[in-house]
Amino acid sequence: MNPKVVAIVGAGPAGLFAAKTLAEKDVRVALFNRDIRPGGLAEYGIYPEKHVLKNGLRRQFTSFLEHKNIAYFGNIEVGEGKDLSLPQLENMGFQGILVTAGAQKIKELKVEGESLPRVYHAWEIVSKYNNLPPYSQIEFPIGEKVVIVGVGNVMADVARYLIQKGGVKEITAVARRGPAEIKFHETEFAHIAQNLDLSDFEAEMERVTPLMLKLGQDPNETWAFIEKACENCEEKTGDTNFRLRFLKSPVRFWGDEHRGLQGVECIENSLVEENHVMKTIPTALHTIFDADTAILAVGSSVDDGIGLPVSKDQFTISPYPDYPQDGISYELMDPDSGANISGVFVAGWSRLASYGLVGISGKDGSRGAQALFEFIQDGDGEKPDWELLQSQIRNLKKEIVDKKMIGQLYKAEAEIAAKNGLAEYKFPTNQEMLTAIGLV
Ligand SMILES: Cc1cc2nc3c(=O)[nH]c(=O)nc-3n(C[C@H](O)[C@H](O)[C@H](O)COP(=O)(O)OP(=O)(O)OC[C@H]3O[C@@H](n4cnc5c(N)ncnc54)[C@H](O)[C@@H]3O)c2cc1C
């Protein structure tokens, strides 16, 4: 009897954990990945200097891929008009599909001036410093006065990069809400805490303290958090002045095509608590920050080009799943008919955009895989021939990277790193990667 056969789209942490879960249940898994190398944001998002974490994850993912039930197809993008579409996968005979393609599309603020020169999305900067093709080949000029919109861990990573890179005099991170709602972790902030302008921070805390007290929040907790990060901070690497501004939302990026960005206009917010959620209320006050560069670190969106319904930066998750896992839905709803889309599941950042670290995404991938597994157990359709399916895919007119080649790629990169005394080396273009593994 042929075993069941499924497709997973995206080999980030969610897709890799999902593939492992299904392979161990004797399901054959075709794992498609747009990038040549597996790992998703574990390779191309996590800060480059976190070598221990990145190497550990790389080793773990390599061991997952070794499972005989997993076939890896790197350098294959799935979507409408791409290398393969979801309907094509269904027609090939896959009995179910799990989409774990992350949330890899730029999320726009939809604010005037957002397309001016030197207004970037954090995604572009992070991809650049992590050597993700094609961003690795694009120049993103950075000026001296940078405004970062958002106060999560990605903001902390981008600020860390700008401080280390040098040449930036001032970074102002702008938060929609107040000090009690900051999203970055102390460990991430510790990398930039040495550059925090403490007297400026004190003045900003003084300004927002009356509202915090009115909301029942304790400003001392913010101080304790910042002091702890400062205690554990690194040695100062540059003289960039880092500032935090609270209760502000950008409403306009000032400048012109010729001179690029000149300033960021923000509206002042107040806050009110509704159903345990802190909601912003815009006031009539405006502030303009003098800035020549703005970086939007406000999360990202799922890709509507994959061919699944999207609403407000997320796939339309069904509120009535047929195969819920721990009360969570991994299924999609057709917004026109209101019916569940049969046979297609989502997990990881594709289920909840920009939510959670690798551990959370991996666990979500495993749960999504379990939902898909329950679905295929219910089906009694024809099971395709696994070998035939694989050769059909290999016949695509594209350089397809398999798991053996990934081993060769890592080896080639490790040799270059050793030769040049580097902690890590990553080829910055697809062409170089394909050449190193002998595909071109
Ligand atoms: C800047 C940044 C820093 C981070 N730092 C940390 C950290 O220090 N520690 C930590 O634990 N977590 C960190 N995270 C979070 C972590 O990276 C995520 O939790 C995790 O990578 C999400 O996993 P995922 O598999 O859902 O998506 P992703 O990691 O985004 O993987 C998606 C995969 O799908 C592929 N793909 C996309 N579209 C297609 C398509 N159409 N067809 C085929 N394949 C496709 C991509 O090539 C990619 O391999 C960070 C995230 C960011 C953005």
Side-chain angles (χ1 to χ4, degrees):
M1 197 176 83
N2 284 344
K4 307 246 178 188
V5 178
V6 300
I8 296 182
V9 178
L16 286 155
F17 270 88
K20 173 180 185 273
T21 303
L22 287 159
E24 285 173 353
K25 291 175 184 289
D26 210 24
V27 176
R28 303 287 192 268
V29 180
L31 179 54
F32 297 97
N33 200 36
R34 181 205 59 207
D35 301 337
I36 288 178
R37 53 205 305 143
L41 289 170
E43 278 287 349
Y44 292 118
I46 294 179
Y47 203 72
E49 285 178 14
K50 293 187 178 177
H51 297 298
V52 176
L53 175 64
K54 291 186 105 153
N55 286 335
L57 288 170
R58 208 172 286 145
R59 271 197 303 276
Q60 187 182 28
F61 296 155
T62 303
S63 76
F64 290 2
L65 285 180
E66 275 162 14
H67 201 292
K68 66 174 177 33
N69 289 341
I70 301 175
Y72 179 72
F73 300 101
N75 202 26
I76 291 288
E77 187 166 7
V78 175
E80 289 162 340
K82 306 292 183 195
D83 302 311
L84 279 169
S85 67
L86 291 177
Q88 275 176 308
L89 291 179
E90 278 162 354
N91 289 337
M92 286 167 95
F94 286 105
Q95 291 162 293
I97 301 171
L98 178 66
V99 174
T100 49
Q104 300 218 343
K105 219 182 142 205
I106 285 175
K107 178 167 149 185
E108 289 173 359
L109 276 183
K110 299 197 168 58
V111 163
E112 191 184 334
E114 201 170 336
S115 57
L116 281 173
R118 293 192 310 280
V119 179
Y120 307 119
H121 191 281
W123 174 263
E124 296 169 299
I125 306 299
V126 168
S127 302
K128 168 84 185 173
Y129 68 61
N130 266 307
N131 257 347
L132 171 68
Y135 298 94
S136 51
Q137 303 307 298
I138 304 171
E139 285 307 318
F140 296 99
I142 307 275
E144 292 187 340
K145 285 190 166 187
V146 182
V147 165
I148 307 181
V149 179
V151 288
N153 285 330
V154 176
M155 177 284 290
D157 276 5
V158 170
R160 180 180 178 185
Y161 165 72
L162 296 178
I163 291 168
Q164 285 183 339
K165 181 185 94 55
V168 177
K169 285 192 178 148
E170 190 179 289
I171 300 171
T172 308
V174 174
R176 265 198 312 158
R177 300 187 177 87
E181 289 82 33
I182 45 178
K183 295 272 190 293
F184 52 78
H185 298 158
E186 187 207 300
T187 43
E188 307 306 323
F189 192 68
H191 295 291
I192 55 173
Q194 69 279 10
N195 289 67
L196 180 68
D197 181 334
L198 271 174
S199 55
D200 179 84
F201 183 69
E202 205 173 333
E204 181 66 353
M205 282 300 288
E206 209 168 290
R207 187 182 76 84
V208 298
T209 288
L211 179 63
M212 289 184 82
L213 294 175
K214 199 170 136 201
L215 294 165
Q217 298 173 336
D218 183 359
N220 290 326
E221 284 181 14
T222 307
W223 273 114
F225 175 94
I226 295 291
E227 275 161 17
K228 192 139 179 258
C230 287
E231 272 168 30
N232 297 321
C233 72
E234 293 175 352
E235 251 179 58
K236 206 167 170 173
T237 44
D239 43 18
T240 311
N241 208 21
F242 179 77
R243 298 171 172 187
L244 279 161
R245 285 290 177 278
F246 298 107
L247 304 168
K248 287 179 174 41
S249 299
V251 287
R252 187 171 176 186
F253 296 97
W254 285 86
D256 55 50
E257 281 303 316
H258 178 60
R259 291 175 307 151
L261 182 79
Q262 300 293 307
V264 181
E265 181 177 345
C266 293
I267 197 162
E268 187 75 23
N269 296 321
S270 186
L271 293 175
V272 62
E273 195 177 344
E274 266 178 33
N275 300 328
H276 309 290
V277 176
M278 213 45 91
K279 289 204 158 172
T280 56
I281 304 173
T283 71
L285 293 174
H286 285 233
T287 314
I288 298 182
F289 292 103
D290 190 15
D292 51 30
T293 311
I295 300 172
L296 313 184
V298 291
S300 45
S301 165
V302 298
D303 184 356
D304 54 2
I306 286 182
L308 295 172
V310 175
S311 156
K312 289 191 190 146
D313 303 316
Q314 309 266 2
F315 291 125
T316 54
I317 303 292
S318 167
Y320 307 111
D322 295 314
Y323 304 93
Q325 303 297 318
D326 302 329
I328 299 171
S329 170
Y330 290 85
E331 289 155 64
L332 296 154
M333 189 186 72
D334 177 343
D336 296 327
S337 67
N340 288 353
I341 297 176
S342 179
V344 182
F345 294 75
V346 289
W349 280 27
S350 281
R351 185 181 70 76
L352 206 49
S354 308
Y355 177 75
L357 297 175
V358 166
I360 289 179
S361 304
K363 195 166 172 204
D364 206 61
S366 300
R367 279 197 299 231
Q370 177 62 27
L372 171 59
F373 182 71
E374 289 172 20
F375 166 78
I376 56 174
Q377 292 311 102
D378 280 355
D380 51 6
E382 204 180 312
K383 293 169 198 135
D385 181 318
W386 178 228
E387 296 305 326
L388 194 69
L389 242 181
Q390 290 183 74
S391 67
Q392 248 181 300
I393 297 164
R394 288 204 186 94
N395 280 339
L396 284 174
K397 286 192 176 54
K398 186 88 195 261
E399 294 85 11
I400 300 178
V401 176
D402 64 24
K403 52 191 180 187
K404 198 168 139 238
M405 295 170 189
I406 292 298
Q408 291 169 331
L409 173 68
Y410 291 161
K411 191 165 169 267
E413 290 179 332
E415 280 167 10
I416 295 177
K419 200 167 142 202
N420 294 287
L422 302 169
E424 184 185 277
Y425 178 80
K426 250 182 356 207
F427 288 114
T429 63
N430 283 352
Q431 188 67 20
E432 285 163 279
M433 284 189 252
L434 294 173
T435 306
I437 51 187
L439 264 182
V440 290

